[in-house]
Amino acid sequence: MQDYHEIVGDILIDEDTLKNRITELGAQISHDYRGHDLHLVCILRGGVVFLADLMRTITIPHTLDFMAISSYGVGTRKSTGQIRITMDLITAIQDRDVLLVEDIIDSGYTLKATLELLKARHPKSLHVCVLLDKAERREVEVPLRYCGFVIPDKYIFGYGLDVDEYYRNLPFIATLAPDHYKPPE
Ligand code: IMP
Ligand code: MG
């Protein structure tokens, strides 16, 4: 594996910008869910860095759970619209106020299918908090209650997002250096 310096093109969103926006989202969520039974559901693995920072800006009591879904495989860049739960939630979500926390929405297929799946378990409410929105790539409509940043149609990584499973630890969001760009398959 190469050092990340070799594959970073531009830093699209730096650490301070992420922190400030996430603090705003946390304040908004804390305000909107005051008096509600907030239950954050994080989609692994990409959502985990965002979740960890977001939850520390939320000032109301809440609980957490995790699920993993496969949509993008290693080496593929295009969502199929078919998802598979590879790790299910531990706790039931019936009658809970569920907020789904996800790293990025692209075509929308992953979130749409995930929402349908969770809706069938009868949560009291179900909304989405997404850090990044590649709005121009959308193929199916998904209601986003909270969104961090609308970003251009470029492959990005860092802050939970991977390049073939690596570099999720970078504290900023970067584009790939031109030599490393692989078009969607
Ligand atoms: P969608 O189903 O097309 O909306 O794809 C959403 C999923 O694709 C996200 O959960 C990410 O795992 C992945 N994804 C989409 N764009 C990127 C990207 O630019 N970098 C890394 N992962 C991405
Ligand atoms: Mg993801």
Side-chain angles (χ1 to χ4, degrees):
M1 248 327 113
Q2 301 144 92
D3 184 84
Y4 78 82
H5 291 104
E6 291 171 35
I7 72 157
V8 167
D10 297 310
I11 293 183
L12 189 67
I13 310 175
D14 66 24
E15 265 185 272
D16 279 352
T17 310
L18 282 167
K19 189 165 184 257
N20 292 339
R21 181 68 185 126
I22 290 166
T23 303
E24 286 176 4
L25 290 175
Q28 188 65 50
I29 291 166
S30 306
H31 172 267
D32 295 348
Y33 282 89
R34 194 164 303 279
H36 292 267
D37 182 24
L38 176 61
H39 185 55
L40 302 177
V41 167
C42 174
I43 304 182
L44 296 172
R45 290 166 289 243
V48 74
V49 178
F50 176 40
L51 185 269
D53 283 344
L54 179 69
M55 64 187 278
R56 286 176 287 176
T57 69
I58 296 177
T59 53
I60 58 166
H62 61 276
T63 53
L64 293 180
D65 205 350
F66 298 89
M67 69 190 294
I69 282 157
S70 82
S71 51
Y72 273 52
V74 171
T76 59
R77 295 278 154 81
K78 186 103 181 71
S79 206
T80 56
Q82 289 175 331
I83 64 159
R84 196 165 56 90
I85 296 184
T86 52
M87 194 195 91
D88 206 344
L89 299 171
I90 292 171
T91 42
I93 57 166
Q94 185 164 2
D95 299 326
R96 306 294 309 272
D97 288 303
V98 174
L99 184 60
L100 200 55
V101 178
E102 172 65 316
D103 51 1
I104 186 167
I105 179 167
D106 185 322
S107 68
Y109 285 118
T110 306
L111 267 177
K112 188 179 190 312
T114 308
L115 283 171
E116 276 164 16
L117 216 138
L118 294 181
K119 226 176 263 169
R121 300 181 184 185
H122 306 293
K124 187 173 176 195
S125 65
L126 179 61
H127 293 285
V128 175
C129 177
V130 73
L131 181 63
L132 307 167
D133 178 7
K134 277 190 193 170
E136 61 196 81
R137 295 257 305 170
R138 194 79 78 260
E139 289 174 31
V140 286
E141 206 187 316
V142 178
L144 303 177
R145 190 168 194 192
Y146 307 97
C147 170
F149 304 90
V150 175
I151 60 165
D153 177 15
K154 287 182 179 159
Y155 196 83
I156 47 96
F157 69 107
Y159 202 77
L161 292 126
D162 67 307
V163 181
D164 297 343
E165 294 300 326
Y166 288 86
Y167 309 111
R168 294 187 193 273
N169 58 307
L170 301 187
F172 49 79
I173 307 254
T175 60
L176 277 176
D179 287 357
H180 295 268
Y181 176 73
K182 292 188 217 159
E185 286 168 11

